[in-house]
Amino acid sequence: MALKRNPEDSIQYDEEISVTSKAKQLFTSGSGKRKAETKILTTFSIEPSFKKELEELFSDMGLSWAGGIRFSLKEFLKKYKNQ
């Protein structure tokens, strides 16, 4: 017994291959503005109440905890880089 081929399935499959190949090309080629660096996990200790204040501040800014810390460090670097 032969199976009947559905032409719609092959179109969707071709689109998936196209999307997959474009994604691989985007993330494997160095065509970006700069090559992404590997992130380094850092730890530090702060009081829970101070962390809660910072989390609320970052949340108001639309940032996650890690995003807020990175933003803060970048702003600190900009401000004190020339000193």
Side-chain angles (χ1 to χ4, degrees):
M1 179 167 141
L3 296 175
K4 187 176 181 181
R5 186 175 188 168
N6 188 350
E8 292 176 8
D9 290 342
S10 65
I11 293 171
Q12 183 179 3
Y13 181 73
D14 290 341
E15 289 175 2
E16 288 175 9
I17 291 174
S18 175
V19 169
T20 304
S21 64
K22 286 180 184 178
K24 284 181 183 178
Q25 180 184 12
L26 175 67
F27 291 109
T28 57
S29 69
S31 64
K33 291 182 182 177
R34 66 175 196 190
K35 188 173 182 175
E37 293 183 84
T38 304
K39 300 271 190 283
I40 299 172
L41 177 64
T42 59
T43 59
F44 57 94
S45 300
I46 59 173
E47 295 86 10
S49 58
F50 183 53
K51 183 177 187 235
K52 184 69 176 168
E53 289 178 38
L54 289 175
E55 286 176 323
E56 290 173 1
L57 175 66
F58 297 155
S59 177
D60 291 343
M61 296 170 66
L63 298 170
S64 65
W65 167 252
I69 294 297
R70 284 190 296 268
F71 173 79
S72 300
L73 291 171
K74 287 177 184 177
E75 289 300 310
F76 181 86
L77 183 63
K78 285 180 193 175
K79 185 173 182 179
Y80 294 104
K81 190 174 186 175
N82 296 329
Q83 294 182 1

